[in-house]
Amino acid sequence: MININSRELGLDVINEVPWGTHLCFFYDFINDYFDVIKPYIKAGLENNEFCVWIIPKKLETEKALEILQTAIPNLDCYQQKRQIEILSYSECYLNKGRFNGDAVITNWGNKLDKALSAGFDGLRVEGDTSWIGTNRWRPFMDYESKIDNEMSNKNILVICSYPLNKIGAREIIDIIESHKFALIRRNEKWIYAKSFVDIVDKLLEIQSHIKGENIELIKQGELKNIFFGQSSHEIKTPLASIKGYTQMLIKEKFGTINEQQKEVLEILKRNTDHLDNLVNNYLSLVQLQAGTIKFIVEKIPITSLIKNTMDTMHPLADSKKIRMNVQMADGLPSLSIDVDRIKQVLINIIGNAIKFSPEGASININVKKKNEYILFEIQDFGLGIPKNEHEKIFDMFFQSESIRNKNIKGTGLGLPISKAIVEAHGGRIWVDSKINKGSKFSFTLPIKPVKTHKINLIKSLP
Ligand code: ADP
């Protein structure tokens, strides 16, 4: 199966990165700049990505094209396919001479939507920053931090290039802070790469900071909100990296591994996925309670949604030798949904189906059109749920009597949160189940997007 999360970067220093990676690189001379840009854009075009190139201030479009063509002789074919856009800094970043970071971010979202609906896998961006003067430095750094946050779960790759002769030490620190990786290209050599290890270090640092200094806040019961509100990005970004790189290690992208190493990595991947899902559920809970939950709606083909979810669920299913049979009706439309949240719903339900099934069992996942809705059905042949609990399992923190003495772990959050998410999208969720025969969870989503519905979660809090 293709790993839709990893993309070929085209650079010899880092071969592949997950979608959502935001890199920066510093260059000394324009030759160093092109050493990076040429293979980066070439890899994007060859891998069916829509490429946007914001050229350095002093470079003219004609000249930029000419240089790019030396690495990509069939560049005009890609131009005819409208797969590449070359912009000046003012076209991309300024509106009537003013820089507005939020507007630029919205624009990237629109470009991504367009790219996906035109059949590309995602968006690859290179933005040169030689145009930024001291007065625009702060707003631009705020934009860089925001975009790092916004794009972490989207099919976007971004490289921001900074000419070394225009920035000082303080600026370099600002830049490294707001990107996942920092690379330096000087005299035709790579001289520094801020890496995955730094991110893990950062995570550990945050954890010890939280443990050490925020005990007072724990007492006041506020840590939960701060932890999941402000630091969620700090947790989710490194988690996404750990997941992406573990997957790449498993797929032997960094060299061959033996069976034992593979097994260990697979355990690491399963646990990271589990942790990611827990963080998502807790985060949604806090946002639902605080009334700050936001839905970021984007259009996605149902096949991509399911494929993406299956990629996440396979290691867990494989660990119990469970077979997941997916059946999707032909000609399903795209849906306008908050992709991450609906994926969270699928992960919660499929994760439960795996959890409550015996080893070697099967799970059937069916997706079809029903009137004005898409119907998702997830059927397992496991433990089942007694009839009198069919309503209660959607209540906060509810766990069935039948599993209490079976040492099956859980939080009782997955289903109520899934219900809130589905209903906010204008859909419905329900269960049919018989004890010891299995359960079928079904939910619908409207094909035509509706305005976000009011969320009714608080009333089911104990
Ligand atoms: P968790 O699984 O973390 O306990 P959920 O909210 O996802 O929390 O599920 C609540 C309860 O519903 C579970 O504890 C279990 O009792 C029951 N349940 C959910 N899905 C299934 C399933 N597929 N088979 C049997 N019981 C289930």
Side-chain angles (χ1 to χ4, degrees):
M1 191 182 303
I2 327 154
N3 175 12
I4 54 171
N5 288 319
S6 73
R7 309 301 297 180
E8 191 188 319
L9 200 59
L11 309 183
D12 49 4
V13 65
I14 307 175
N15 197 16
E16 290 193 35
V17 291
W19 275 129
T21 301
H22 181 209
L23 292 145
C24 62
F25 88 93
F26 303 96
Y27 60 94
D28 217 351
F29 297 108
I30 198 78
N31 288 355
D32 297 316
Y33 170 79
F34 276 108
D35 280 352
V36 177
I37 299 317
K38 289 196 283 192
Y40 173 70
I41 294 183
K42 185 167 188 263
L45 293 173
E46 286 173 356
N47 289 303
N48 192 39
E49 294 167 17
F50 183 75
C51 299
V52 180
W53 179 21
I54 301 125
I55 56 177
K57 189 175 174 188
K58 292 206 172 126
L59 195 69
E60 280 168 9
T61 312
E62 307 283 275
K63 184 77 193 154
L65 275 169
E66 207 179 285
I67 299 175
L68 193 60
Q69 209 149 20
T70 60
I72 313 167
N74 56 340
L75 184 62
D76 27 347
C77 298
Y78 292 113
Q79 284 181 290
Q80 271 164 21
K81 272 173 65 187
R82 294 180 185 275
Q83 195 180 339
I84 180 162
E85 193 174 10
I86 300 181
L87 300 173
S88 69
Y89 74 94
S90 55
E91 286 170 310
C92 172
Y93 293 113
L94 304 183
N95 186 0
K96 296 190 183 126
R98 286 173 66 104
F99 171 70
N100 175 343
D102 289 339
V104 180
I105 291 174
T106 308
N107 207 10
W108 289 131
N110 294 340
K111 279 197 195 300
L112 174 65
D113 287 347
K114 263 198 191 159
L116 292 175
S117 44
F120 297 111
D121 291 0
L123 185 64
R124 174 174 297 228
V125 178
E126 199 297 307
D128 190 74
T129 59
S130 47
W131 59 279
I132 304 166
T134 33
N135 58 336
R136 291 203 177 113
W137 186 258
R138 237 331 96 215
F140 194 78
M141 283 303 109
D142 291 344
Y143 155 81
E144 286 278 48
S145 304
K146 256 195 204 165
I147 193 158
D148 195 53
N149 191 357
E150 296 271 329
M151 61 179 272
S152 61
N153 286 321
K154 303 218 162 72
N155 288 16
I156 307 185
L157 291 182
V158 178
I159 289 193
C160 304
S161 48
Y162 288 85
L164 276 169
N165 63 359
K166 285 205 66 178
I167 45 177
R170 195 177 287 270
E171 285 79 22
I172 290 180
I173 295 168
D174 280 348
I175 299 162
I176 292 178
E177 278 279 285
S178 56
H179 293 79
K180 287 199 183 71
F181 294 91
L183 307 170
I184 298 178
R185 183 82 183 170
R186 202 171 190 202
N187 296 331
E188 300 178 9
K189 280 197 213 106
W190 293 111
I191 58 170
Y192 172 70
K194 176 185 167 185
S195 67
F196 170 53
V197 177
D198 298 86
I199 294 169
V200 174
D201 277 354
K202 182 133 203 235
L203 179 65
L204 293 174
E205 195 190 302
I206 293 161
Q207 280 174 340
S208 71
H209 175 77
I210 286 167
K211 268 196 209 136
E213 294 186 14
N214 288 345
I215 298 215
E216 223 14 65
L217 285 172
I218 297 179
K219 283 189 202 140
Q220 294 164 18
E222 291 203 355
L223 181 63
K224 182 186 69 181
N225 291 345
I226 292 183
F227 188 77
F228 287 106
Q230 292 174 11
S231 305
S232 66
H233 168 61
E234 303 278 7
I235 299 165
K236 284 182 65 61
T237 307
L239 259 180
S241 266
I242 295 170
K243 273 171 57 176
Y245 281 99
T246 311
Q247 181 72 2
M248 282 190 233
L249 284 166
I250 292 173
K251 295 192 130 203
E252 305 194 320
K253 302 279 183 201
F254 302 119
T256 41
I257 53 170
N258 63 34
E259 273 310 303
Q260 201 183 10
Q261 289 166 333
K262 193 166 180 196
E263 248 173 58
V264 173
L265 285 168
E266 251 144 12
I267 295 173
L268 179 61
K269 168 102 179 39
R270 280 202 302 277
N271 281 315
T272 325
D273 284 340
H274 181 59
L275 189 57
D276 192 34
N277 194 37
L278 272 184
V279 171
N280 283 337
N281 278 340
Y282 279 121
L283 186 59
S284 299
L285 173 67
V286 170
Q287 292 172 339
L288 284 161
Q289 278 182 303
T292 55
I293 194 157
K294 280 198 193 116
F295 291 94
I296 302 162
V297 174
E298 55 188 303
K299 202 165 177 182
I300 184 167
I302 295 173
T303 41
S304 309
L305 172 72
I306 297 292
K307 193 161 163 239
N308 197 325
T309 311
M310 287 299 122
D311 275 354
T312 309
M313 299 315 294
H314 267 298
L316 186 64
D318 292 348
S319 71
K320 282 184 79 177
K321 300 191 176 53
I322 286 179
R323 211 184 128 81
M324 294 189 292
N325 309 309
V326 180
Q327 274 214 332
M328 289 199 273
D330 288 337
L332 290 174
S334 289
L335 285 177
S336 291
I337 51 175
D338 185 321
V339 177
D340 290 340
R341 306 246 189 220
I342 295 297
K343 191 178 159 195
Q344 192 183 340
V345 171
L346 284 162
I347 290 175
N348 282 331
I349 299 177
I350 300 171
N352 279 342
I354 296 173
K355 184 159 76 171
F356 296 109
S357 289
E359 282 225 354
S362 291
I363 292 172
N364 297 333
I365 297 155
N366 282 318
V367 188
K368 54 191 170 202
K369 198 165 165 260
K370 196 165 183 223
N371 305 324
E372 303 306 305
Y373 292 83
I374 297 296
L375 173 65
F376 296 78
E377 295 174 325
I378 296 99
Q379 173 155 40
D380 68 63
F381 303 93
L383 218 54
I385 305 162
K387 183 123 186 89
N388 64 333
E389 290 180 350
H390 286 191
E391 291 286 321
K392 291 188 199 144
I393 53 167
F394 293 99
D395 285 348
M396 277 291 182
F397 305 116
F398 180 83
Q399 290 189 303
S400 172
E401 276 299 324
S402 52
I403 66 157
R404 294 242 165 95
N405 46 7
K406 286 203 165 64
N407 198 22
I408 299 177
K409 295 197 176 71
T411 57
L413 284 178
L415 289 179
I417 284 169
S418 301
K419 182 169 188 272
I421 293 173
V422 167
E423 289 178 355
H425 279 77
R428 218 164 59 75
I429 184 167
W430 67 97
V431 65
D432 292 317
S433 181
K434 273 208 181 109
I435 197 90
N436 293 329
K437 289 264 185 295
S439 312
K440 182 159 95 179
F441 281 84
S442 312
F443 71 93
T444 55
L445 292 176
I447 296 170
K448 267 204 197 137
V450 291
K451 250 180 84 196
T452 305
H453 282 228
K454 213 168 150 7
I455 298 164
N456 229 352
L457 182 83
I458 311 300
K459 79 169 177 34
S460 59
L461 279 171

